[in-house]
Amino acid sequence: MEVWYGADGVPAAVSAPGGPGSVVTIGIFDGVHRGHQAILTRVVERARAMSRPDGTRPLAVAVTFDPHPVLVHRPEAHLPMVASLADRLTSLATTGLDAVLVIHYTLAFADQSPERFVRTWLEGLLGARAVVVGEDVRFGRGNSGDARCLSEICAADGVEVEIVADVRAPGGRRWSSTWVRELLEGGDMRGAADVLGHAHRLRGTVVHGMRRGRELGFPTANLEAASAGVVPPDGVYAGWLVRSPGAGGDDAEERLPAAISIGTNPTFDDVPTRTVEAHVLGRDDLDLYGEVVAIELVDYLRPMLAFDGLEPLLTQMRQDVVDTAGVLGVPVPTPQGRA
């Protein structure tokens, strides 16, 4: 999947006479949850169905925005993104899209009329032959453009529009990023994964911590919670530390089973801010400082507790490793921790 940053990144051949054009959708796609996936699947299906006799076809393209429009219009709003842009693009790549156009969202960009947005970006830049969107689509100045408006503009220009009905969970609730945030804030990792269709990820740069975990025999990769994305409540979780392709010496992502601690570690009084710490099971040879990693949270294990001394803490940490291995279905490593 190609990623185009801004209009200058889009190859001129896409919309040139005789060029492939595109089947396009628009949205934030925060988390790329099941509702998003339904729309993206239709984009890919429509693009493939419009193949020409010579085998060429329109490109399946998603247009997304960064930063989130809410953060531009209301900077004081507390709206943590479910996924970083990097993880959003990783998830979008799994849907079969040919390309994603990332538009830098600004107040000037937001001031375009719905007609100007559609005709400049979708039809002009991307040569849209069809547009696929959800029922709740909004675009243009003051969010004045909706599904009906889009259909009218495109119909006048001979561009097909498909409106995908809301996709709902078995209980009837609409899949949404808001729902995902609610589940994450409640510590329900499995519920969030059900809405997302995949485990929730945090992402950040590994920084130097207190090195207390290494001294105790449980070295950790430390991420500053404030830079990691939507961080669930304090506690210990089972999950995976994911290294980017090439970081671990392989062309694919390297996924390492990990016990993950989120909070300030109340056993000690020298951790002033929340941190995310991931202990990779059975590994004390990793040097991850300065590396950008993802943390996948699979299940909540226990609350953050204050222990009366190191021995009770070490006993619990060993049990956390056992519990994590059980959740992830991996072997329990040789007992760790300071003797």
Side-chain angles (χ1 to χ4, degrees):
M1 184 187 80
E2 295 185 44
V3 179
W4 304 325
Y5 292 95
D8 292 343
V10 180
V14 174
S15 59
S22 67
V23 175
V24 63
T25 187
I26 59 175
I28 305 300
F29 306 113
D30 189 18
V32 193
H33 57 64
R34 292 183 188 273
H36 297 144
Q37 292 166 28
I39 295 170
L40 296 163
T41 296
R42 283 299 298 149
V43 170
V44 173
E45 290 174 348
R46 289 290 299 264
R48 291 174 178 171
M50 295 172 72
S51 294
R52 298 167 178 167
D54 62 2
T56 62
R57 61 167 177 79
L59 301 178
V61 179
V63 176
T64 192
F65 309 95
D66 186 66
H68 195 294
V70 167
L71 299 178
V72 173
H73 292 284
R74 293 189 291 117
E76 76 286 355
H78 176 66
L79 184 71
M81 296 295 289
V82 172
S84 66
L85 177 60
D87 284 317
R88 198 188 329 168
L89 293 173
T90 296
S91 294
L92 288 169
T94 67
T95 65
L97 289 170
D98 296 303
V100 173
L101 169 60
V102 181
I103 296 176
H104 180 59
Y105 192 89
T106 65
L107 290 175
F109 175 84
D111 198 43
Q112 296 176 95
S113 68
E115 293 80 6
R116 182 181 177 190
F117 170 73
V118 172
R119 289 176 172 145
T120 299
W121 292 87
L122 306 188
E123 297 177 0
L125 181 66
L126 297 174
R129 297 174 60 189
V131 182
V132 181
V133 293
E135 292 179 318
D136 64 342
V137 67
R138 291 291 185 276
F139 59 96
R141 185 183 302 119
N143 272 346
S144 56
D146 57 12
R148 179 178 178 179
C149 174
L150 177 66
S151 297
E152 291 174 351
I153 296 169
C154 289
D157 298 338
V159 177
E160 300 176 26
V161 172
E162 178 178 344
I163 309 299
V164 178
D166 284 344
V167 181
R168 298 181 181 275
R173 183 168 180 176
R174 173 177 169 271
W175 304 112
S176 69
S177 300
T178 297
W179 190 7
V180 175
R181 291 189 188 93
E182 291 175 4
L183 292 165
L184 293 175
E185 290 169 1
D188 186 354
M189 298 300 102
R190 292 194 179 276
D194 187 48
V195 179
L196 288 168
H198 52 82
H200 174 56
R201 278 190 172 190
L202 308 177
R203 180 176 289 274
T205 303
V206 178
V207 298
H208 288 279
M210 304 295 293
R211 298 185 64 85
R212 187 171 284 120
R214 182 168 295 278
E215 292 171 1
L216 297 176
F218 293 90
T220 61
N222 301 274
L223 281 68
E224 290 183 348
S227 66
V230 178
V231 182
D234 290 2
V236 176
Y237 297 79
W240 303 88
L241 185 147
V242 185
R243 305 180 73 185
S244 300
D250 198 340
D251 291 337
E253 288 185 335
E254 183 181 19
R255 298 168 56 81
L256 303 169
I260 301 147
S261 172
I262 296 175
T264 59
N265 198 337
T267 300
F268 306 95
D269 60 5
D270 56 358
V271 186
T273 59
R274 297 181 78 212
T275 60
V276 177
E277 300 181 58
H279 166 65
V280 176
L281 305 191
R283 298 288 296 272
D284 60 5
D285 59 330
L286 294 171
D287 181 4
L288 303 175
Y289 292 123
E291 187 174 319
V292 177
V293 301
I295 302 292
E296 285 189 359
L297 298 166
V298 174
D299 205 3
Y300 175 84
L301 296 181
R302 65 171 176 86
M304 188 65 72
L305 302 171
F307 294 91
D308 186 17
L310 290 181
E311 287 312 313
L313 173 61
L314 286 168
T315 298
Q316 182 60 63
M317 292 172 75
R318 294 186 186 103
Q319 185 60 50
D320 292 339
V321 168
V322 172
D323 294 342
T324 295
V327 168
L328 302 179
V330 300
V332 177
T334 300
Q336 293 173 266
R338 191 172 69 182

PDB file of all heavy atoms in Angstrom, residues 61-84:
ATOM      1  N   VAL A  61      -8.601   3.700  -2.733  1.00  0.00           N
ATOM      2  CA  VAL A  61      -7.912   4.750  -1.980  1.00  0.00           C
ATOM      3  C   VAL A  61      -8.752   5.207  -0.797  1.00  0.00           C
ATOM      4  O   VAL A  61      -9.971   5.412  -0.919  1.00  0.00           O
ATOM      5  CB  VAL A  61      -7.607   5.966  -2.889  1.00  0.00           C
ATOM      6  CG1 VAL A  61      -6.912   7.065  -2.090  1.00  0.00           C
ATOM      7  CG2 VAL A  61      -6.762   5.548  -4.081  1.00  0.00           C
ATOM      8  N   ALA A  62      -8.111   5.382   0.342  1.00  0.00           N
ATOM      9  CA  ALA A  62      -8.746   6.000   1.511  1.00  0.00           C
ATOM     10  C   ALA A  62      -8.089   7.353   1.743  1.00  0.00           C
ATOM     11  O   ALA A  62      -6.864   7.471   1.709  1.00  0.00           O
ATOM     12  CB  ALA A  62      -8.602   5.123   2.746  1.00  0.00           C
ATOM     13  N   VAL A  63      -8.910   8.368   1.992  1.00  0.00           N
ATOM     14  CA  VAL A  63      -8.421   9.699   2.360  1.00  0.00           C
ATOM     15  C   VAL A  63      -8.631   9.857   3.860  1.00  0.00           C
ATOM     16  O   VAL A  63      -9.745   9.689   4.361  1.00  0.00           O
ATOM     17  CB  VAL A  63      -9.182  10.806   1.611  1.00  0.00           C
ATOM     18  CG1 VAL A  63      -8.725  12.188   2.096  1.00  0.00           C
ATOM     19  CG2 VAL A  63      -8.982  10.669   0.108  1.00  0.00           C
ATOM     20  N   THR A  64      -7.569  10.148   4.587  1.00  0.00           N
ATOM     21  CA  THR A  64      -7.674  10.347   6.023  1.00  0.00           C
ATOM     22  C   THR A  64      -7.011  11.666   6.402  1.00  0.00           C
ATOM     23  O   THR A  64      -6.361  12.309   5.570  1.00  0.00           O
ATOM     24  CB  THR A  64      -7.074   9.167   6.807  1.00  0.00           C
ATOM     25  OG1 THR A  64      -7.441   9.261   8.189  1.00  0.00           O
ATOM     26  CG2 THR A  64      -5.553   9.130   6.691  1.00  0.00           C
ATOM     27  N   PHE A  65      -7.195  12.067   7.653  1.00  0.00           N
ATOM     28  CA  PHE A  65      -6.764  13.390   8.083  1.00  0.00           C
ATOM     29  C   PHE A  65      -5.927  13.291   9.360  1.00  0.00           C
ATOM     30  O   PHE A  65      -6.183  12.463  10.228  1.00  0.00           O
ATOM     31  CB  PHE A  65      -7.986  14.282   8.332  1.00  0.00           C
ATOM     32  CG  PHE A  65      -8.951  14.292   7.189  1.00  0.00           C
ATOM     33  CD1 PHE A  65     -10.047  13.443   7.169  1.00  0.00           C
ATOM     34  CD2 PHE A  65      -8.744  15.130   6.107  1.00  0.00           C
ATOM     35  CE1 PHE A  65     -10.934  13.434   6.099  1.00  0.00           C
ATOM     36  CE2 PHE A  65      -9.620  15.128   5.024  1.00  0.00           C
ATOM     37  CZ  PHE A  65     -10.722  14.274   5.019  1.00  0.00           C
ATOM     38  N   ASP A  66      -4.945  14.166   9.439  1.00  0.00           N
ATOM     39  CA  ASP A  66      -4.087  14.225  10.623  1.00  0.00           C
ATOM     40  C   ASP A  66      -3.623  15.661  10.806  1.00  0.00           C
ATOM     41  O   ASP A  66      -3.133  16.270   9.851  1.00  0.00           O
ATOM     42  CB  ASP A  66      -2.886  13.284  10.450  1.00  0.00           C
ATOM     43  CG  ASP A  66      -2.045  13.190  11.706  1.00  0.00           C
ATOM     44  OD1 ASP A  66      -2.556  12.672  12.699  1.00  0.00           O
ATOM     45  OD2 ASP A  66      -0.898  13.661  11.668  1.00  0.00           O
ATOM     46  N   PRO A  67      -3.837  16.253  12.008  1.00  0.00           N
ATOM     47  CA  PRO A  67      -4.427  15.653  13.204  1.00  0.00           C
ATOM     48  C   PRO A  67      -5.947  15.506  13.098  1.00  0.00           C
ATOM     49  O   PRO A  67      -6.538  15.912  12.092  1.00  0.00           O
ATOM     50  CB  PRO A  67      -4.043  16.656  14.292  1.00  0.00           C
ATOM     51  CG  PRO A  67      -3.942  17.965  13.565  1.00  0.00           C
ATOM     52  CD  PRO A  67      -3.366  17.640  12.227  1.00  0.00           C
ATOM     53  N   HIS A  68      -6.545  14.943  14.143  1.00  0.00           N
ATOM     54  CA  HIS A  68      -7.989  14.782  14.192  1.00  0.00           C
ATOM     55  C   HIS A  68      -8.648  16.158  14.146  1.00  0.00           C
ATOM     56  O   HIS A  68      -8.228  17.091  14.847  1.00  0.00           O
ATOM     57  CB  HIS A  68      -8.386  14.057  15.485  1.00  0.00           C
ATOM     58  CG  HIS A  68      -9.787  13.535  15.477  1.00  0.00           C
ATOM     59  ND1 HIS A  68     -10.894  14.367  15.445  1.00  0.00           N
ATOM     60  CD2 HIS A  68     -10.273  12.269  15.505  1.00  0.00           C
ATOM     61  CE1 HIS A  68     -11.999  13.632  15.455  1.00  0.00           C
ATOM     62  NE2 HIS A  68     -11.645  12.359  15.481  1.00  0.00           N
ATOM     63  N   PRO A  69      -9.686  16.341  13.324  1.00  0.00           N
ATOM     64  CA  PRO A  69     -10.348  17.649  13.225  1.00  0.00           C
ATOM     65  C   PRO A  69     -10.788  18.233  14.564  1.00  0.00           C
ATOM     66  O   PRO A  69     -10.713  19.454  14.763  1.00  0.00           O
ATOM     67  CB  PRO A  69     -11.553  17.347  12.327  1.00  0.00           C
ATOM     68  CG  PRO A  69     -11.066  16.248  11.436  1.00  0.00           C
ATOM     69  CD  PRO A  69     -10.214  15.383  12.319  1.00  0.00           C
ATOM     70  N   VAL A  70     -11.246  17.402  15.479  1.00  0.00           N
ATOM     71  CA  VAL A  70     -11.677  17.918  16.787  1.00  0.00           C
ATOM     72  C   VAL A  70     -10.530  18.648  17.477  1.00  0.00           C
ATOM     73  O   VAL A  70     -10.730  19.692  18.123  1.00  0.00           O
ATOM     74  CB  VAL A  70     -12.201  16.767  17.682  1.00  0.00           C
ATOM     75  CG1 VAL A  70     -12.350  17.236  19.127  1.00  0.00           C
ATOM     76  CG2 VAL A  70     -13.541  16.266  17.165  1.00  0.00           C
ATOM     77  N   LEU A  71      -9.319  18.133  17.360  1.00  0.00           N
ATOM     78  CA  LEU A  71      -8.170  18.734  18.024  1.00  0.00           C
ATOM     79  C   LEU A  71      -7.753  20.045  17.371  1.00  0.00           C
ATOM     80  O   LEU A  71      -7.048  20.850  17.986  1.00  0.00           O
ATOM     81  CB  LEU A  71      -7.002  17.750  18.029  1.00  0.00           C
ATOM     82  CG  LEU A  71      -7.269  16.433  18.764  1.00  0.00           C
ATOM     83  CD1 LEU A  71      -6.056  15.515  18.664  1.00  0.00           C
ATOM     84  CD2 LEU A  71      -7.633  16.688  20.218  1.00  0.00           C
ATOM     85  N   VAL A  72      -8.180  20.271  16.136  1.00  0.00           N
ATOM     86  CA  VAL A  72      -7.897  21.523  15.445  1.00  0.00           C
ATOM     87  C   VAL A  72      -8.955  22.569  15.786  1.00  0.00           C
ATOM     88  O   VAL A  72      -8.649  23.725  16.068  1.00  0.00           O
ATOM     89  CB  VAL A  72      -7.835  21.298  13.922  1.00  0.00           C
ATOM     90  CG1 VAL A  72      -7.701  22.635  13.176  1.00  0.00           C
ATOM     91  CG2 VAL A  72      -6.675  20.375  13.572  1.00  0.00           C
ATOM     92  N   HIS A  73     -10.204  22.158  15.779  1.00  0.00           N
ATOM     93  CA  HIS A  73     -11.292  23.093  16.064  1.00  0.00           C
ATOM     94  C   HIS A  73     -11.442  23.380  17.555  1.00  0.00           C
ATOM     95  O   HIS A  73     -11.838  24.477  17.947  1.00  0.00           O
ATOM     96  CB  HIS A  73     -12.609  22.542  15.512  1.00  0.00           C
ATOM     97  CG  HIS A  73     -12.657  22.491  14.022  1.00  0.00           C
ATOM     98  ND1 HIS A  73     -12.857  23.605  13.236  1.00  0.00           N
ATOM     99  CD2 HIS A  73     -12.506  21.450  13.154  1.00  0.00           C
ATOM    100  CE1 HIS A  73     -12.839  23.260  11.960  1.00  0.00           C
ATOM    101  NE2 HIS A  73     -12.625  21.960  11.878  1.00  0.00           N
ATOM    102  N   ARG A  74     -11.111  22.385  18.380  1.00  0.00           N
ATOM    103  CA  ARG A  74     -11.228  22.552  19.833  1.00  0.00           C
ATOM    104  C   ARG A  74      -9.966  21.997  20.493  1.00  0.00           C
ATOM    105  O   ARG A  74      -9.970  20.888  21.020  1.00  0.00           O
ATOM    106  CB  ARG A  74     -12.479  21.841  20.356  1.00  0.00           C
ATOM    107  CG  ARG A  74     -13.785  22.474  19.878  1.00  0.00           C
ATOM    108  CD  ARG A  74     -14.998  21.903  20.579  1.00  0.00           C
ATOM    109  NE  ARG A  74     -15.278  20.530  20.207  1.00  0.00           N
ATOM    110  CZ  ARG A  74     -15.250  19.496  21.041  1.00  0.00           C
ATOM    111  NH1 ARG A  74     -14.903  19.658  22.303  1.00  0.00           N
ATOM    112  NH2 ARG A  74     -15.547  18.286  20.610  1.00  0.00           N
ATOM    113  N   PRO A  75      -8.869  22.747  20.456  1.00  0.00           N
ATOM    114  CA  PRO A  75      -7.594  22.253  20.988  1.00  0.00           C
ATOM    115  C   PRO A  75      -7.657  21.849  22.451  1.00  0.00           C
ATOM    116  O   PRO A  75      -6.854  21.030  22.894  1.00  0.00           O
ATOM    117  CB  PRO A  75      -6.649  23.450  20.798  1.00  0.00           C
ATOM    118  CG  PRO A  75      -7.278  24.266  19.724  1.00  0.00           C
ATOM    119  CD  PRO A  75      -8.756  24.092  19.888  1.00  0.00           C
ATOM    120  N   GLU A  76      -8.611  22.423  23.194  1.00  0.00           N
ATOM    121  CA  GLU A  76      -8.721  22.097  24.618  1.00  0.00           C
ATOM    122  C   GLU A  76      -9.429  20.763  24.860  1.00  0.00           C
ATOM    123  O   GLU A  76      -9.441  20.262  25.992  1.00  0.00           O
ATOM    124  CB  GLU A  76      -9.491  23.210  25.344  1.00  0.00           C
ATOM    125  CG  GLU A  76     -11.001  23.215  25.121  1.00  0.00           C
ATOM    126  CD  GLU A  76     -11.443  23.712  23.728  1.00  0.00           C
ATOM    127  OE1 GLU A  76     -10.564  24.144  22.948  1.00  0.00           O
ATOM    128  OE2 GLU A  76     -12.655  23.677  23.442  1.00  0.00           O
ATOM    129  N   ALA A  77      -9.998  20.185  23.820  1.00  0.00           N
ATOM    130  CA  ALA A  77     -10.758  18.949  23.973  1.00  0.00           C
ATOM    131  C   ALA A  77      -9.835  17.788  24.331  1.00  0.00           C
ATOM    132  O   ALA A  77      -8.710  17.686  23.839  1.00  0.00           O
ATOM    133  CB  ALA A  77     -11.510  18.625  22.686  1.00  0.00           C
ATOM    134  N   HIS A  78     -10.339  16.926  25.191  1.00  0.00           N
ATOM    135  CA  HIS A  78      -9.574  15.724  25.549  1.00  0.00           C
ATOM    136  C   HIS A  78     -10.075  14.581  24.667  1.00  0.00           C
ATOM    137  O   HIS A  78     -11.101  13.975  24.946  1.00  0.00           O
ATOM    138  CB  HIS A  78      -9.762  15.385  27.026  1.00  0.00           C
ATOM    139  CG  HIS A  78      -9.075  14.114  27.437  1.00  0.00           C
ATOM    140  ND1 HIS A  78      -7.696  13.978  27.427  1.00  0.00           N
ATOM    141  CD2 HIS A  78      -9.572  12.918  27.848  1.00  0.00           C
ATOM    142  CE1 HIS A  78      -7.377  12.759  27.813  1.00  0.00           C
ATOM    143  NE2 HIS A  78      -8.494  12.094  28.076  1.00  0.00           N
ATOM    144  N   LEU A  79      -9.360  14.336  23.592  1.00  0.00           N
ATOM    145  CA  LEU A  79      -9.765  13.272  22.666  1.00  0.00           C
ATOM    146  C   LEU A  79      -8.542  12.450  22.296  1.00  0.00           C
ATOM    147  O   LEU A  79      -7.930  12.659  21.245  1.00  0.00           O
ATOM    148  CB  LEU A  79     -10.410  13.850  21.404  1.00  0.00           C
ATOM    149  CG  LEU A  79     -10.950  12.803  20.423  1.00  0.00           C
ATOM    150  CD1 LEU A  79     -12.196  12.134  20.993  1.00  0.00           C
ATOM    151  CD2 LEU A  79     -11.264  13.440  19.083  1.00  0.00           C
ATOM    152  N   PRO A  80      -8.130  11.521  23.140  1.00  0.00           N
ATOM    153  CA  PRO A  80      -6.987  10.678  22.790  1.00  0.00           C
ATOM    154  C   PRO A  80      -7.327   9.796  21.597  1.00  0.00           C
ATOM    155  O   PRO A  80      -8.430   9.248  21.500  1.00  0.00           O
ATOM    156  CB  PRO A  80      -6.774   9.838  24.055  1.00  0.00           C
ATOM    157  CG  PRO A  80      -8.110   9.822  24.737  1.00  0.00           C
ATOM    158  CD  PRO A  80      -8.742  11.154  24.434  1.00  0.00           C
ATOM    159  N   MET A  81      -6.403   9.695  20.684  1.00  0.00           N
ATOM    160  CA  MET A  81      -6.618   8.855  19.516  1.00  0.00           C
ATOM    161  C   MET A  81      -6.511   7.391  19.912  1.00  0.00           C
ATOM    162  O   MET A  81      -5.636   7.001  20.692  1.00  0.00           O
ATOM    163  CB  MET A  81      -5.577   9.177  18.442  1.00  0.00           C
ATOM    164  CG  MET A  81      -5.668  10.591  17.897  1.00  0.00           C
ATOM    165  SD  MET A  81      -7.211  10.898  16.999  1.00  0.00           S
ATOM    166  CE  MET A  81      -6.933   9.929  15.521  1.00  0.00           C
ATOM    167  N   VAL A  82      -7.397   6.573  19.371  1.00  0.00           N
ATOM    168  CA  VAL A  82      -7.332   5.135  19.619  1.00  0.00           C
ATOM    169  C   VAL A  82      -6.021   4.579  19.085  1.00  0.00           C
ATOM    170  O   VAL A  82      -5.378   3.735  19.714  1.00  0.00           O
ATOM    171  CB  VAL A  82      -8.533   4.410  18.968  1.00  0.00           C
ATOM    172  CG1 VAL A  82      -8.366   2.898  19.054  1.00  0.00           C
ATOM    173  CG2 VAL A  82      -9.839   4.843  19.636  1.00  0.00           C
ATOM    174  N   ALA A  83      -5.601   5.057  17.928  1.00  0.00           N
ATOM    175  CA  ALA A  83      -4.361   4.569  17.309  1.00  0.00           C
ATOM    176  C   ALA A  83      -3.545   5.739  16.801  1.00  0.00           C
ATOM    177  O   ALA A  83      -4.093   6.753  16.347  1.00  0.00           O
ATOM    178  CB  ALA A  83      -4.672   3.615  16.157  1.00  0.00           C
ATOM    179  N   SER A  84      -2.238   5.616  16.863  1.00  0.00           N
ATOM    180  CA  SER A  84      -1.356   6.614  16.260  1.00  0.00           C
ATOM    181  C   SER A  84      -1.522   6.552  14.744  1.00  0.00           C
ATOM    182  O   SER A  84      -2.067   5.585  14.193  1.00  0.00           O
ATOM    183  CB  SER A  84       0.093   6.313  16.624  1.00  0.00           C
ATOM    184  OG  SER A  84       0.494   5.082  16.021  1.00  0.00           O
TER     185      SER A  84
END
